[in-house]
Amino acid sequence: MKRDHPTPVRIPGERLLHAPGPTHIPGEVLNAMHRQALDHGDPRLDAVIANCESGIKRLLKTSAELFMYTANGHGIWEAVTENLLAHGEAALVPATGHFSESWAVQMELTGRRAIRTPYRPGYPIDPAVVEQALRADVKREIAAVFVVHTDTASGITHDIAAIRAAIDAASHPALLVVDVIASLAAAPFAMDALGVNVACGASQKGLMSPPGLAFVAVDVKAAQVATRNKAPRYYWDWQRRRGAYSYTKFCGTPPHNLLFGIEAALELIDREGLDAVIARHSLLARAVHAAVECWSSEGALQFHCRVPEARSTSVTTIEVREGLDVEALRSVARERFQVAFAGGLGPFQGKAFRIGHLGDLNPAMILGCLAGVEAAMLAQGVPHGAGGASRAAALLADHA
Ligand SMILES: Cc1ncc(COP(=O)(O)O)c(C=O)c1O
């Protein structure tokens, strides 16, 4: 057979994947997926699905109802919109940068209204602005507040407790809906304790699994809103997915092998312990931040997030001085030094790069990544303070 592309050259060792999703997939997850699918009635499949449901609910810290979809993050956004909002109905979308805007646009294109608060570049959502927007809604037209917990483009994690408090202070009945796609199993989150009505996530980030499975947890209040909502829907419909049969739960064939992988990933998280997983993310993030702090001293690079405590434990967004070619830097890092990191998204395109530090990562992987980024910056003549990887190593050494 004639190929239309050359046989790729074998790369010795592994390329380090430091995109903020998809993330590195552990061997245990890959191995778990390497088996035959089951037939629809096999109770083994029901057991796998039940383990995935209970494991994801443990991560979300919720007793709410859970629906899983063969979908990515955009799919689960649409599931939320289709179930909660009637056509023409509005949600308040506090701006977090790129992903809040994409969600708002998706809502509008499916016939809903998005009321945005303005994004202040580099800063987390101001809860006072949310409260003000809700107070201004005297006719109570806003059905929900849609918040992105960690915006993967800006690298900022937003304070969900403060947003809950803002909704309560405005005495507004809106539901609180949170996208934890980039924060789940990387930053503290507790759906029930935070008073979150709906939380949605996906498989390819903190869950250390391939893309393709997304899920949404729905509390009783949100489920009632969905039941009353007459907007026509089929695949996304929560009611249609209620039932014990696997084919019903997934509105068709479940993604068997992905579920095998996710079951294994959840077991890995359980074995390490969720608190330990979150603490590991926090430590590795601080190591990356130490390196970026050092690199920034030459004036060509800087943290996008200006508030240190709002910097994400999943991803760090680094702005570059005008004229620096981010794509060339990424390409040299990926092809010569085997470190794959992300570019800027949306308003940050060409103006920033992003280092993902979530999922199945350890200190050696982070140090390898930082050293690889440094090598690429040296090769490309990007001005940066020397010794960032050593600063990260020193920070890690200090935290036995
Ligand atoms: C916070 C957040 N929400 C939503 C999405 C969209 O997810 P997907 O790319 O799987 O559609 C992403 C993707 O990176 C994300 O980071």
Side-chain angles (χ1 to χ4, degrees), residues 140-194:
R140 297 296 189 242
E141 288 184 345
I142 294 172
V145 181
F146 283 12
V147 184
V148 179
H149 188 201
T150 292
D151 192 305
T152 325
S154 66
I156 299 178
T157 296
H158 303 276
D159 185 345
I160 301 301
I163 292 165
R164 175 75 259 171
I167 298 172
D168 294 343
S171 302
H172 199 292
L175 298 170
L176 176 56
V177 177
V178 182
D179 163 341
V180 293
I181 290 172
S183 57
L184 190 66
F189 181 77
M191 177 170 167
D192 293 355
L194 285 164

Side-chain angles (χ1 to χ4, degrees), residues 329 373-382 384:
L329 180 68
V373 173
E374 277 185 4
M377 290 199 290
L378 286 168
Q380 288 300 98
V382 174
H384 64 282

Side-chain angles (χ1 to χ4, degrees), residues 2 21 30 74 129 134 171 211 222 249 300 306 321 367:
K2 189 177 169 305
L30 292 173
H74 281 75
V129 174
L134 291 172
S171 302
K249 283 182 181 226
R306 307 291 197 263
R321 189 169 70 197
L367 292 173

Side-chain angles (χ1 to χ4, degrees), residues 32 37 113 151 154 253 346 353:
R113 287 184 295 134
D151 192 305
S154 66
T253 306
F353 65 90

Side-chain angles (χ1 to χ4, degrees), residues 20-22 71-77 99-100 102-103 148-153 179-183 202 204-205 211-212 214 345 354:
N72 59 18
H74 281 75
I76 209 66
W77 278 350
F99 283 102
S100 62
S102 303
W103 202 356
V148 179
H149 188 201
T150 292
D151 192 305
T152 325
D179 163 341
V180 293
I181 290 172
S183 57
Q204 76 271 24
K205 296 182 193 265
L345 270 183
R354 297 175 298 146

Side-chain angles (χ1 to χ4, degrees), residues 163-348:
I163 292 165
R164 175 75 259 171
I167 298 172
D168 294 343
S171 302
H172 199 292
L175 298 170
L176 176 56
V177 177
V178 182
D179 163 341
V180 293
I181 290 172
S183 57
L184 190 66
F189 181 77
M191 177 170 167
D192 293 355
L194 285 164
V196 171
N197 302 106
V198 175
C200 57
S203 53
Q204 76 271 24
K205 296 182 193 265
L207 251 186
M208 312 179 291
S209 301
L213 188 118
F215 46 86
V216 59
V218 180
D219 81 350
V220 174
K221 188 174 169 195
Q224 286 165 351
V225 170
T227 304
R228 285 196 301 270
N229 176 15
K230 297 285 175 272
R233 53 197 185 271
Y234 185 89
Y235 185 74
W236 306 117
D237 187 22
W238 292 337
Q239 179 53 33
R240 177 173 294 282
R241 285 168 180 262
R242 290 194 173 106
Y245 189 39
S246 61
Y247 200 82
T248 307
K249 283 182 181 226
F250 279 85
C251 192
T253 306
H256 295 218
N257 297 62
L258 200 43
L259 291 163
F260 301 153
I262 288 167
E263 184 187 37
L266 288 163
E267 198 189 319
L268 292 180
I269 293 173
D270 272 352
R271 267 166 43 197
E272 187 177 349
L274 183 56
D275 289 346
V277 170
I278 305 266
R280 172 168 56 81
H281 278 80
S282 166
L283 178 62
L284 297 181
R286 277 181 280 139
V288 173
H289 296 165
V292 175
E293 194 90 56
C294 173
W295 294 340
S296 303
S297 62
E298 288 293 304
L301 308 175
Q302 65 170 340
F303 284 106
H304 172 67
C305 181
R306 307 291 197 263
V307 181
E309 52 281 12
R311 284 177 193 147
S312 160
T313 50
S314 303
V315 54
T316 299
T317 303
I318 302 145
E319 292 175 8
V320 304
R321 189 169 70 197
E322 212 181 322
L324 282 178
D325 188 342
V326 171
E327 290 314 306
L329 180 68
R330 286 182 66 205
S331 169
V332 166
R334 187 196 310 111
E335 306 306 329
R336 261 181 81 185
F337 301 111
Q338 307 308 326
V339 173
F341 59 87
L345 270 183
F348 313 112

